[in-house]
Amino acid sequence: MIDPNTLYALRAREVARFVEANPKSKSCFDNSNGWFQRVPFHWMLDWPSPFPIVAASARGATLTSLDGQPFDDFCLGDTASMFGHSPPALAAALADQAGRGLSYMLPTTKGPELGDMLARMFGLPHWQVTTTASEANRAVIRWCRGLTGRRKILIFNGCYHGAVDDVFVDLRDGVAVNRPSLIGQVQDLLPTTVAIEFNDVAALETALRGGDIACVLAEPVMTNIGMVRDAPGYLETLRRLCSETGTLLVFDETHTISSGYGGHSNRYGPMPDIMVIGKSIGGGVPCAVYGFTSEISAHMEALNKARPAGHSGIGTTLSANALAITAMHAMLGQVITREAYDHMLAMADRLVLGLNKVIETHRLPWHVSHVGARVEFVCAPHPPGNGSEAREAMDHALESAVHLYLTNRGILLAPFHNMMLLSPVTQEAQIDRLLQALDSCVGELLE
């Protein structure tokens, strides 16, 4: 057991060390009075440090702060830069496009080839582009309701699908509630959003057999509340029940694109009716896509023709802008390759082996979750089976102290929990430094 006093003392020391090591970042933060809470986006305060590091540059899997400190980056923009910061092919393509216009509201010559690239990589023949995965998920929910004539959607407790109001329902002690942390929510979501626990086959069958669910919106592996793996056979059961009940299956693979080439669906199965990909598809340029089957495409086309003229409620003028198309074309054509995944998965295996060795050496009641190029060490003995168990397993005080300790030694993890991503340019030496720092941290906590 880790003594609370030891934990408190270590964190206090690491806070002081952070402040001393980052004077320029602190000054930049202190003088950003024009921003609400001194940051241009309030999530930037979710890091466990007393103020955020100010980034000066990033290249490959290394980020350099305003104070000149290099960081081995395992956060990688929380997946946005999962394939490395500023890949040369992407940087060159963006520079070229910047001189020829950024947004036309017209297709470009790269569009047809990009559509074929998406179809080949992800196994679905038809695609649309949005500016964010949030926007893609909102569009997909609208399409699913329109196509099925059903109002309800089903989600899993603890999920995250971006800034989409429909998904902000939690289970608390088994009871569905509107998420209490949601600012400004005025609509009661409970009549149209059904929330159940991930991996609960009985609850899934009960919900879908009612015949009033338009779609199931899910990550094939939950990632936002920590990693929650699918139980053996669960996704296959989900696929079968959706098909039997006329419910559309939507996989949000914004994060699980890390599972392997073509995303989790293509590496492990099953295939959904609709797939959403965001963040990393443009290497950090804001864009997302959603793909669907030929059958869905035919129904969408018929629905579109049958509706009254006017705004569809789906899309924005920035969707599929020239910069986004160029970014995705460069990423899929030259960066997101099978060879890139080979390196990412090998590095993930190396990291998992090392993390398990640290845990075993110190006899810690922790475990490692791992799918593809996404790895997490969790300060709890057993992998959770659903969102409620994952929420209960979190030890925020311990996790934030470990996170800050690693930050002070040049290691960046994802700020929300101890999630790590491996990129095509992550090096063995970076993994070894992470493991050495974690081993040192644990050693101090157990003294």
Side-chain angles (χ1 to χ4, degrees):
M1 290 289 292
I2 294 172
D3 180 73
N5 292 326
T6 301
L7 179 63
Y8 177 82
L10 181 140
R11 175 165 177 79
R13 184 196 73 194
E14 294 302 318
V15 166
R17 176 172 174 164
F18 181 89
V19 172
E20 182 179 3
N22 296 281
K24 292 181 181 178
S25 287
K26 185 176 187 305
S27 177
C28 186
F29 177 73
D30 289 344
N31 288 290
S32 295
N33 295 315
W35 297 118
F36 170 64
Q37 294 184 305
R38 295 191 174 91
V39 286
F41 184 47
H42 64 277
W43 287 12
M44 292 175 177
L45 295 176
D46 286 348
W47 298 82
S49 51
F51 51 85
I53 293 165
V54 175
S57 64
R59 183 64 57 87
T62 301
L63 182 145
T64 302
S65 74
L66 182 63
D67 289 278
Q69 181 177 359
F71 291 88
D72 295 322
D73 191 359
F74 294 90
C75 173
L76 295 170
D78 192 28
T79 308
S81 299
M82 188 180 76
F83 298 100
H85 293 287
S86 296
L90 175 63
L94 294 180
D96 177 68
Q97 185 64 51
R100 295 186 292 111
L102 304 179
S103 189
Y104 316 133
M105 202 175 153
L106 290 168
T108 67
T109 56
K110 291 186 175 71
E113 188 174 6
L114 174 59
D116 291 342
M117 289 176 177
L118 289 165
R120 286 196 300 270
M121 180 173 178
F122 296 106
L124 291 170
H126 301 285
W127 293 84
Q128 287 282 271
V129 178
T130 63
T131 308
T132 66
S134 295
E135 184 191 346
N137 283 320
R138 277 195 295 270
V140 166
I141 289 171
R142 279 189 170 272
W143 279 118
C144 289
R145 285 173 168 158
L147 293 171
T148 62
R150 301 172 179 178
R151 299 179 64 210
K152 293 182 180 179
I153 67 168
L154 186 145
I155 60 165
F156 294 106
N157 180 39
C159 71
Y160 179 73
H161 300 288
V164 181
D165 282 3
D166 298 82
V167 306
F168 290 121
V169 173
D170 291 334
L171 290 180
R172 299 290 176 171
D173 298 321
V175 178
V177 297
N178 291 289
R179 184 167 294 177
S181 62
L182 191 62
I183 295 172
Q185 178 65 18
V186 296
Q187 179 183 352
D188 182 7
L189 301 174
L190 301 184
T192 54
T193 299
V194 176
I196 65 171
E197 294 286 11
F198 197 59
N199 287 322
D200 188 335
V201 173
L204 178 66
E205 183 152 16
T206 297
L208 295 187
R209 292 294 183 197
D212 57 355
I213 304 292
C215 69
V216 175
L217 176 58
E219 292 183 292
V221 173
M222 296 184 72
T223 63
N224 188 66
I225 197 163
M227 291 180 70
V228 181
R229 289 296 311 268
D230 53 304
Y234 184 72
L235 294 181
E236 288 72 22
T237 299
L238 172 61
R239 173 68 277 180
R240 175 178 58 81
L241 288 173
C242 283
S243 298
E244 290 176 0
T245 59
T247 306
L248 298 177
L249 177 57
V250 182
F251 279 159
D252 181 353
E253 294 237 32
T254 297
H255 279 177
T256 56
I257 188 177
S258 61
S259 292
Y261 187 84
H264 196 88
S265 304
N266 281 279
R267 186 176 185 196
Y268 297 104
M271 287 297 291
D273 300 300
I274 305 174
M275 181 189 297
V276 171
I277 305 288
K279 292 188 178 180
S280 61
I281 196 75
V285 173
C287 53
V289 293
Y290 60 99
F292 36 92
T293 65
S294 294
E295 181 181 5
I296 296 292
S297 176
H299 290 311
M300 288 169 66
E301 187 172 358
L303 177 62
N304 212 25
K305 289 179 178 178
R307 68 179 177 85
H311 195 285
S312 65
I314 295 172
T316 66
T317 52
L318 282 178
S319 296
N321 64 74
L323 190 69
I325 294 293
T326 294
M328 289 187 285
H329 185 272
M331 290 297 291
L332 267 67
Q334 302 177 68
V335 181
I336 306 176
T337 64
R338 293 185 185 277
E339 292 74 21
Y341 274 98
D342 289 343
H343 179 85
M344 294 159 69
L345 300 182
M347 291 300 98
D349 288 342
R350 182 183 183 91
L351 176 57
V352 169
L353 186 67
L355 289 172
N356 280 323
K357 183 177 180 181
V358 171
I359 290 171
E360 292 166 7
T361 297
H362 294 280
R363 299 181 181 179
L364 294 166
W366 297 3
H367 72 273
V368 177
S369 293
H370 167 221
V371 185
R374 186 175 298 272
V375 180
E376 181 178 15
F377 63 89
V378 183
C379 305
H382 305 295
N386 58 48
S388 290
E389 292 177 7
R391 190 181 291 119
E392 291 171 4
M394 290 181 176
D395 187 333
H396 294 291
L398 177 56
E399 290 174 5
S400 65
V402 172
H403 195 294
L404 186 57
Y405 186 102
L406 296 178
T407 300
N408 281 336
R409 286 146 187 86
I411 309 290
L412 285 184
L413 310 187
F416 307 108
H417 34 84
N418 296 322
M419 188 82 74
M420 295 155 284
L421 285 165
L422 290 306
S423 79
V425 288
T426 300
Q427 301 301 309
E428 291 183 356
Q430 293 180 296
I431 294 171
D432 294 345
R433 285 193 290 268
L434 187 161
L435 295 170
Q436 183 179 14
L438 180 63
D439 182 73
S440 175
C441 177
V442 171
E444 291 194 41
L445 287 170
L446 293 175
E447 285 181 353

